[in-house]
Amino acid sequence: MDIKPPPKKIKIKTEEPSLIEDQVIDPDPGDDAQGITQTQSSNKQSKKRRFAPIKWASTHKKIAIPLAVVLVLGIGGGAYAIFGQSKNKPAPAPVAKAEEPKAEEPAKPTTVASPLTGVQVSPELAARPVTGMMIENSPDARPQSGLAEAGAIYEATAEGGITRFLVLWQEAKPGNIGPVRSLRPYYIDWALPYQATVGHVGGSPQALQEAKDVNLRDLDQFANGGSYRRTSDRYAPHNMYTTTADMEKLQAAKGYTKSEFTPWPRKDESPSATPTTSKISFDISSQLFHVDYGYDKASNTYVRSLAGLPHKDRETGKPLNPKVVVILKMAHRLVDSQHYGITTTGTGDAFIYQDGIETKGTWKKDSRTAMFHFLDSAGNDIKLNAGQVWVSILPSDRNPKVTP
């Protein structure tokens, strides 16, 4: 029997420059026995490569241990450099956003039109509540205090032909106010549209009852005696007075801090180059209450006289001179032996005097709480000059007399 010699092993270098592997090349790939030998040899070589680092480390302990330490430190240092420093690194300074330019708010007005007078005043004064007061006009009460600074005045007969005023203030703050007298029902109708408080000393039974029925902002001296005083320079009942400061405290205590109402329409002054009314005269009752107004072109006002004498304010000594004079004709009637009733709602004749000119028209008042409308012949509201308006109520059978 011929015995074949074992195949020779040929060593071949691989393409990898850093690694040399021993491989067994079977010169006769068709022989099964030789194929098995080659597979076993390949497995042994794979194991050798797998355990080579361990074997090398065990035989080179002096070098392997320091090398491992260096390797661990190197990896840890690199990790710290990457993660630790980034963690402790201060956050970048925030980048300030450029602020968008804000739209400028419109400047608040320094003055506004007073609801009561139409005069330009500070917003704070225009927001004050309207204060009303019943002021006496008998000869023993003259001259009165506080009329010169009023915004509107209503004049009518109270009893026995004696006239009385409902005087209204808003932005003005007069010191002494008086003499204060009693209330009548029709004055309530003229105060309600302004949401005004009304100071008075008692009143007719009908007026006191109606004040309760309509929830008038009532500042009756009978219930608020501490806000009024009697003076010693006049005898009663012509010596009851109060002040703006007293009324403000009383209003605040009762919660009457503002008044909401629709003002009269206003216009710019336009004095006529050729005035047609140099003088206005009328009798509300007797000669003791005869009224004259003389037109003053320089101030575009109407200077008032009462019973043939200049009608002056006691505190200022100045003649009373409203910017606008309004005369309204209304039906009068006696409700008892002393007291009048006046029809305050509906329509009637009206005479408006301003800028030296007379305008005839119609007054209109829809309800007790409605404001007066003064209408021209076309039915349009007559606009009034800013300033004091004096409204006088004549019986329906009387007319004013005008001198050109």
Side-chain angles (χ1 to χ4, degrees), residues 4 10 22 26 28 44 50 56 70 76 109 141 144 151 193 195 205 236 242 254 265 267 270 272 292 339 370 374 390:
K4 292 183 181 182
I10 302 173
D22 293 334
D26 186 359
D28 187 0
K44 285 180 181 180
R50 205 176 322 151
W56 184 89
V70 170
Q144 298 91 344
Q195 209 173 42
T242 186
K254 294 180 178 293
K267 70 176 187 65
S270 53
S272 173
D292 293 305
H339 302 118
F374 307 132
W390 197 302

Side-chain angles (χ1 to χ4, degrees), residues 11-45:
K11 293 183 178 181
I12 299 176
K13 291 183 179 180
T14 64
E15 294 290 332
E16 293 290 331
S18 61
L19 180 63
I20 299 176
E21 292 184 353
D22 293 334
Q23 293 184 354
V24 179
I25 305 300
D26 186 359
D28 187 0
D31 192 322
D32 291 340
Q34 292 179 1
I36 293 170
T37 303
Q38 183 179 356
T39 302
Q40 289 174 348
S41 176
S42 176
N43 290 340
K44 285 180 181 180
Q45 291 297 329

Side-chain angles (χ1 to χ4, degrees), residues 315-387:
E315 304 302 313
T316 66
K318 295 179 180 180
L320 303 175
N321 58 337
K323 278 285 184 181
V324 184
V325 173
V326 178
I327 298 175
L328 308 179
K329 295 174 64 174
M330 295 183 180
H332 288 52
R333 65 189 184 281
L334 278 173
V335 296
D336 57 35
S337 60
Q338 299 183 59
H339 302 118
Y340 288 96
I342 297 177
T343 303
T344 59
T345 58
T347 61
D349 294 337
F351 304 84
I352 314 298
Y353 300 93
Q354 58 184 349
D355 297 325
I357 302 295
E358 177 189 61
T359 303
K360 295 180 180 180
T362 302
W363 66 263
K364 180 174 180 287
K365 193 176 191 308
D366 294 330
S367 66
R368 299 190 75 174
T369 58
M371 186 69 78
F372 276 114
H373 286 272
F374 307 132
L375 308 175
D376 62 18
S377 57
N380 300 316
D381 281 303
I382 298 171
K383 295 182 178 180
L384 307 179
N385 288 342

Side-chain angles (χ1 to χ4, degrees), residues 24-95:
V24 179
I25 305 300
D26 186 359
D28 187 0
D31 192 322
D32 291 340
Q34 292 179 1
I36 293 170
T37 303
Q38 183 179 356
T39 302
Q40 289 174 348
S41 176
S42 176
N43 290 340
K44 285 180 181 180
Q45 291 297 329
S46 177
K47 287 180 180 180
K48 284 181 181 181
R49 288 195 300 272
R50 205 176 322 151
F51 294 102
I54 299 174
K55 183 177 180 181
W56 184 89
S58 63
T59 57
H60 297 78
K61 289 181 179 179
K62 291 183 179 180
I63 299 173
I65 292 173
L67 185 60
V69 171
V70 170
L71 185 61
V72 170
L73 291 176
I75 294 171
Y80 173 77
I82 294 171
F83 300 106
Q85 288 186 4
S86 64
K87 183 178 180 181
N88 297 329
K89 188 176 179 180
V95 179

Side-chain angles (χ1 to χ4, degrees), residues 140 230-240:
D140 291 328
R230 290 199 180 274
T231 63
S232 58
D233 58 344
R234 289 181 175 178
Y235 62 88
H238 315 293
N239 62 347
M240 183 69 78

Side-chain angles (χ1 to χ4, degrees), residues 115-116 127-132 154 166 168-170 187-198 214-219 251 255-263 365 368-371:
L116 182 62
R128 285 166 51 82
V130 176
T131 302
Y154 288 83
L166 168 66
L168 303 172
W169 302 267
Q170 187 172 35
Y187 293 103
I188 295 174
D189 295 3
W190 301 329
L192 285 174
Y194 299 93
Q195 209 173 42
T197 58
V198 180
V214 299
N215 294 318
L216 179 71
R217 292 184 169 188
D218 196 352
L219 304 183
Q251 286 169 330
Y256 303 143
T257 57
K258 64 179 180 178
S259 298
E260 296 181 354
F261 61 96
T262 302
K365 193 176 191 308
R368 299 190 75 174
T369 58
M371 186 69 78

